[in-house]
Amino acid sequence: MSQAITISEGETIWRGAVMNGRVVVALIFREAALRFGAGPIAYFWTMVEPTLMVGLILVMRIYVKNVSAAFGESSTLFLLTGLIAFRITRNTINKAGKAIQNNQSLFGFGAVKPPDVVIARTVVEFTIWMIVLTIFFVGCGRLLQITMITKFQDFILALATMFYFCLAMSLFNATFGALIPIWRTIWKIATLPLLFASGVLYVPSSMPPEIQAIIWWNPFLHCIEALRSSSYLDYISLYSPYYLLSFTTAVMILSLAVERLFRKEIIRSRGDDDDDEDLL
């Protein structure tokens, strides 16, 4: 007499989660292989290119224009924390926001869903920028003999929050970009003033109250302020973790809901060949 094997709902969910986790891990390795290329030179250049870009901008800002420190004694530390945080968030979002349109062929496999490719690319791009951040923080700390991180716990929390923000915004851009192609153009135009509206080159809390009331709503500013606050003991910050987490969670829920409702349309969407890279 055969005995029926029953699987509880909880076990079914667990098995589905494990399977989905394996898919995401496989996609991360695939994305890393495509991003880094096949040879050691490709690996080297993937790390050197953003490092050179940030270093060039940093040198031009400090030495060519002879910039004085907006806060503290080191203009290098102030600009570096702002510039690194800005490029981590914006560049990760811009790259991962194209994950769906760049991986349309994978959706023929039933196990791969649009959020999976976005998660994989976000992890890879964010990891690259973590390596770049480490290079600059260790290098500048040794050369300038200054403490780059004064609040290590806040530093880790800032990076975790930034990753969550990048993931939510990447999923939002990838989802809405697939459904509404013109959104990609709108996003580019809307993010043009971010370098100046996010407090990269100045102390946001030193701005007039009327300006603060406007720029405070910019989530990129809170990402920069979160990282910068971990490098100074007496930095007066506009950073609000409650606002940034609330904003990010709302974007994440909206993106997941829209993706689930319009998954078929998203999978059938056709991406464009727009692969422009921002320089700043």
Side-chain angles (χ1 to χ4, degrees), residues 118-161:
V118 177
I119 293 172
R121 182 167 292 188
T122 302
V123 169
V124 171
E125 293 300 326
F126 199 85
T127 300
I128 291 173
W129 279 102
M130 288 302 94
I131 296 173
V132 173
L133 180 149
T134 302
I135 292 172
F136 272 102
F137 272 43
V138 172
C140 289
R142 295 285 179 86
L143 291 174
L144 302 177
Q145 295 297 307
I146 58 177
T147 302
M148 300 296 294
I149 304 171
T150 58
K151 306 171 188 175
F152 187 75
Q153 184 176 358
D154 291 348
F155 175 73
I156 297 299
L157 289 174
L159 293 180
T161 306

Coordinates of all heavy atoms in Angstrom, one line a residue, residues 118-161:
V118 N 18.3 41.7 -12.0 CA 18.6 43.0 -11.4 C 19.4 42.8 -10.1 O 20.4 43.5 -9.9 CB 17.3 43.7 -11.1 CG1 17.6 45.1 -10.4 CG2 16.5 44.0 -12.4
I119 N 19.0 41.8 -9.3 CA 19.7 41.6 -8.1 C 21.2 41.2 -8.4 O 22.1 41.7 -7.7 CB 19.0 40.5 -7.2 CG1 17.7 40.9 -6.7 CG2 19.9 40.0 -6.1 CD1 16.8 39.8 -6.1
A120 N 21.4 40.3 -9.3 CA 22.7 39.8 -9.7 C 23.6 41.0 -10.1 O 24.7 41.1 -9.7 CB 22.6 38.8 -10.8
R121 N 23.1 41.8 -11.0 CA 23.9 42.9 -11.5 C 24.2 44.0 -10.4 O 25.3 44.5 -10.3 CB 23.3 43.6 -12.7 CG 24.1 44.7 -13.3 CD 23.6 45.2 -14.7 NE 23.8 44.2 -15.7 CZ 23.6 44.4 -17.0 NH1 23.2 45.6 -17.4 NH2 23.8 43.4 -17.9
T122 N 23.2 44.2 -9.6 CA 23.4 45.2 -8.5 C 24.5 44.7 -7.5 O 25.4 45.4 -7.1 CB 22.1 45.3 -7.7 OG1 21.1 45.8 -8.5 CG2 22.3 46.3 -6.5
V123 N 24.5 43.4 -7.2 CA 25.6 42.8 -6.4 C 26.9 43.0 -7.0 O 27.9 43.4 -6.3 CB 25.3 41.3 -6.1 CG1 26.4 40.6 -5.4 CG2 24.0 41.2 -5.2
V124 N 27.0 42.7 -8.3 CA 28.3 42.7 -9.0 C 28.8 44.2 -9.0 O 30.0 44.5 -8.7 CB 28.2 42.1 -10.4 CG1 29.5 42.4 -11.2 CG2 28.0 40.6 -10.3
E125 N 28.0 45.1 -9.5 CA 28.4 46.5 -9.6 C 28.7 47.1 -8.2 O 29.7 47.8 -8.1 CB 27.3 47.3 -10.3 CG 27.0 47.0 -11.7 CD 28.3 47.2 -12.6 OE1 29.0 48.1 -12.3 OE2 28.4 46.4 -13.5
F126 N 27.9 46.8 -7.2 CA 28.2 47.3 -5.9 C 29.5 46.8 -5.3 O 30.2 47.5 -4.7 CB 27.0 47.0 -4.9 CG 27.0 47.9 -3.7 CD1 26.3 49.1 -3.7 CD2 27.5 47.4 -2.5 CE1 26.3 49.9 -2.6 CE2 27.5 48.2 -1.4 CZ 26.9 49.5 -1.4
T127 N 29.8 45.5 -5.6 CA 31.0 44.9 -5.1 C 32.2 45.6 -5.8 O 33.2 45.8 -5.1 CB 31.0 43.4 -5.4 OG1 29.9 42.8 -4.8 CG2 32.3 42.7 -4.9
I128 N 32.1 45.9 -7.1 CA 33.2 46.6 -7.7 C 33.5 47.9 -7.1 O 34.7 48.2 -6.8 CB 32.9 46.8 -9.2 CG1 32.9 45.4 -10.0 CG2 33.9 47.7 -9.9 CD1 32.4 45.5 -11.4
W129 N 32.4 48.6 -6.7 CA 32.6 49.9 -6.1 C 33.1 49.8 -4.7 O 33.8 50.7 -4.1 CB 31.4 50.8 -6.2 CG 31.3 51.4 -7.5 CD1 30.5 51.0 -8.6 CD2 32.0 52.5 -8.0 NE1 30.7 51.8 -9.7 CE2 31.6 52.8 -9.3 CE3 32.9 53.4 -7.4 CZ2 32.2 53.8 -10.1 CZ3 33.5 54.4 -8.2 CH2 33.1 54.6 -9.5
M130 N 32.8 48.7 -4.0 CA 33.4 48.5 -2.7 C 34.9 48.3 -2.7 O 35.6 48.7 -1.8 CB 32.7 47.2 -2.0 CG 31.3 47.4 -1.6 SD 31.0 48.8 -0.4 CE 30.6 50.1 -1.5
I131 N 35.3 47.6 -3.8 CA 36.8 47.4 -3.9 C 37.4 48.8 -4.2 O 38.5 49.1 -3.7 CB 37.1 46.4 -5.1 CG1 36.5 45.1 -4.7 CG2 38.5 46.4 -5.4 CD1 36.6 44.0 -5.8
V132 N 36.8 49.6 -5.1 CA 37.3 50.9 -5.4 C 37.4 51.8 -4.1 O 38.3 52.5 -3.8 CB 36.5 51.6 -6.5 CG1 36.9 53.1 -6.7 CG2 36.5 50.9 -7.8
L133 N 36.3 51.7 -3.3 CA 36.3 52.5 -2.1 C 37.4 52.0 -1.1 O 38.0 52.9 -0.5 CB 34.9 52.3 -1.4 CG 34.6 53.0 0.0 CD1 33.2 53.3 0.1 CD2 35.1 52.1 1.1
T134 N 37.6 50.8 -1.1 CA 38.7 50.2 -0.2 C 40.1 50.7 -0.7 O 40.9 51.2 0.2 CB 38.7 48.7 -0.2 OG1 37.4 48.2 0.2 CG2 39.8 48.1 0.7
I135 N 40.3 50.7 -2.0 CA 41.6 51.2 -2.5 C 41.8 52.7 -2.1 O 42.9 53.0 -1.7 CB 41.6 51.1 -4.1 CG1 41.6 49.6 -4.5 CG2 42.8 51.8 -4.7 CD1 41.4 49.4 -5.9
F136 N 40.8 53.5 -2.3 CA 40.9 54.9 -2.0 C 41.1 55.2 -0.5 O 41.9 56.0 -0.1 CB 39.8 55.7 -2.6 CG 40.0 56.2 -4.0 CD1 39.4 55.5 -5.0 CD2 40.8 57.2 -4.3 CE1 39.6 55.9 -6.3 CE2 41.0 57.6 -5.6 CZ 40.4 57.0 -6.6
F137 N 40.2 54.5 0.3 CA 40.3 54.8 1.7 C 41.6 54.3 2.3 O 42.2 55.0 3.2 CB 39.1 54.1 2.4 CG 37.8 54.9 2.5 CD1 37.4 55.7 1.4 CD2 37.1 55.0 3.6 CE1 36.3 56.5 1.4 CE2 35.9 55.8 3.7 CZ 35.5 56.5 2.6
V138 N 42.1 53.2 1.9 CA 43.4 52.7 2.5 C 44.5 53.5 1.9 O 45.4 53.9 2.7 CB 43.6 51.2 2.1 CG1 45.0 50.7 2.5 CG2 42.5 50.3 2.8
G139 N 44.5 53.8 0.6 CA 45.5 54.6 0.0 C 45.6 56.0 0.6 O 46.7 56.5 1.0
C140 N 44.5 56.7 0.7 CA 44.5 58.1 1.2 C 44.8 58.1 2.7 O 45.5 59.0 3.2 CB 43.1 58.7 1.0 SG 42.8 59.1 -0.7
G141 N 44.3 57.1 3.4 CA 44.6 57.0 4.9 C 46.1 56.9 5.1 O 46.7 57.5 6.0
R142 N 46.8 56.1 4.3 CA 48.2 55.9 4.5 C 49.0 57.1 4.0 O 50.0 57.5 4.7 CB 48.7 54.6 3.7 CG 48.1 53.3 4.2 CD 48.8 52.9 5.4 NE 48.2 51.6 5.9 CZ 48.6 50.4 5.5 NH1 49.5 50.3 4.6 NH2 48.0 49.3 6.1
L143 N 48.7 57.6 2.8 CA 49.4 58.8 2.3 C 49.3 60.0 3.1 O 50.2 60.8 3.3 CB 49.0 59.0 0.8 CG 49.4 57.9 -0.2 CD1 48.8 58.2 -1.6 CD2 50.9 57.8 -0.3
L144 N 48.0 60.3 3.5 CA 47.8 61.6 4.2 C 47.8 61.5 5.7 O 47.7 62.5 6.4 CB 46.4 62.1 3.8 CG 46.1 62.3 2.3 CD1 44.7 62.7 2.0 CD2 47.1 63.3 1.7
Q145 N 48.0 60.2 6.2 CA 48.1 60.0 7.6 C 46.9 60.5 8.3 O 47.0 61.3 9.3 CB 49.4 60.6 8.2 CG 50.7 60.0 7.6 CD 50.8 58.6 8.0 OE1 50.7 58.2 9.2 NE2 51.1 57.7 7.0
I146 N 45.7 60.2 7.8 CA 44.5 60.6 8.4 C 43.6 59.4 8.7 O 43.7 58.4 8.0 CB 43.7 61.7 7.6 CG1 43.4 61.1 6.2 CG2 44.5 63.0 7.5 CD1 42.6 62.0 5.3
T147 N 42.6 59.5 9.6 CA 41.7 58.5 9.9 C 40.5 58.6 8.9 O 39.8 59.6 9.0 CB 41.2 58.5 11.3 OG1 42.3 58.4 12.2 CG2 40.2 57.4 11.6
M148 N 40.3 57.6 8.1 CA 39.2 57.7 7.1 C 37.9 57.3 7.6 O 36.8 57.8 7.2 CB 39.6 56.8 5.9 CG 40.9 57.1 5.2 SD 40.8 58.8 4.4 CE 39.6 58.6 3.1
I149 N 37.9 56.4 8.6 CA 36.6 56.0 9.2 C 36.7 56.1 10.7 O 37.5 55.5 11.4 CB 36.3 54.5 8.9 CG1 36.3 54.3 7.4 CG2 35.0 54.0 9.5 CD1 36.2 52.8 6.9
T150 N 35.9 57.0 11.3 CA 35.9 57.2 12.7 C 34.8 56.4 13.4 O 34.9 56.2 14.6 CB 35.7 58.7 13.0 OG1 34.5 59.2 12.5 CG2 36.9 59.5 12.5
K151 N 33.7 56.1 12.7 CA 32.6 55.3 13.3 C 32.4 54.1 12.4 O 31.6 54.2 11.4 CB 31.4 56.2 13.3 CG 31.6 57.5 14.1 CD 30.4 58.4 13.9 CE 30.6 59.8 14.4 NZ 29.5 60.7 14.1
F152 N 33.0 53.0 12.7 CA 33.0 51.8 11.9 C 31.6 51.2 11.8 O 31.2 50.8 10.7 CB 34.0 50.8 12.4 CG 34.2 49.6 11.4 CD1 34.9 49.8 10.3 CD2 33.6 48.4 11.7 CE1 35.0 48.7 9.4 CE2 33.7 47.3 10.8 CZ 34.5 47.5 9.7
Q153 N 30.9 51.2 12.9 CA 29.6 50.6 12.8 C 28.6 51.4 11.9 O 27.9 50.9 11.1 CB 29.0 50.5 14.2 CG 27.6 49.9 14.3 CD 27.1 49.7 15.7 OE1 27.7 50.1 16.7 NE2 25.9 49.2 15.8
D154 N 28.7 52.8 12.0 CA 27.9 53.6 11.2 C 28.4 53.5 9.7 O 27.5 53.6 8.8 CB 28.1 55.1 11.6 CG 27.4 55.4 12.9 OD1 26.7 54.5 13.4 OD2 27.7 56.4 13.5
F155 N 29.6 53.2 9.5 CA 30.2 53.0 8.1 C 29.5 51.8 7.5 O 29.1 51.8 6.4 CB 31.7 52.9 8.2 CG 32.3 52.5 6.9 CD1 32.5 53.5 5.9 CD2 32.9 51.3 6.7 CE1 33.1 53.2 4.7 CE2 33.5 51.0 5.5 CZ 33.6 51.9 4.5
I156 N 29.5 50.7 8.2 CA 28.9 49.4 7.7 C 27.4 49.6 7.5 O 26.9 49.2 6.5 CB 29.1 48.3 8.7 CG1 30.6 48.0 8.9 CG2 28.4 47.0 8.2 CD1 31.3 47.6 7.6
L157 N 26.7 50.3 8.4 CA 25.3 50.5 8.3 C 25.0 51.4 7.1 O 24.0 51.2 6.3 CB 24.7 51.2 9.5 CG 24.6 50.2 10.8 CD1 24.1 51.0 12.0 CD2 23.7 49.1 10.5
A158 N 25.9 52.4 6.8 CA 25.7 53.3 5.7 C 25.8 52.5 4.4 O 25.0 52.7 3.5 CB 26.8 54.4 5.7
L159 N 26.8 51.6 4.3 CA 27.0 50.8 3.1 C 25.8 49.9 2.9 O 25.4 49.7 1.7 CB 28.3 50.0 3.2 CG 29.6 50.8 3.1 CD1 30.8 49.9 3.2 CD2 29.7 51.7 1.9
A160 N 25.3 49.3 3.9 CA 24.2 48.4 3.8 C 22.9 49.1 3.3 O 22.2 48.6 2.5 CB 23.9 47.7 5.2
T161 N 22.7 50.3 3.9 CA 21.6 51.1 3.5 C 21.7 51.6 2.0 O 20.8 51.6 1.2 CB 21.4 52.4 4.4 OG1 21.4 51.9 5.7 CG2 20.2 53.1 4.0

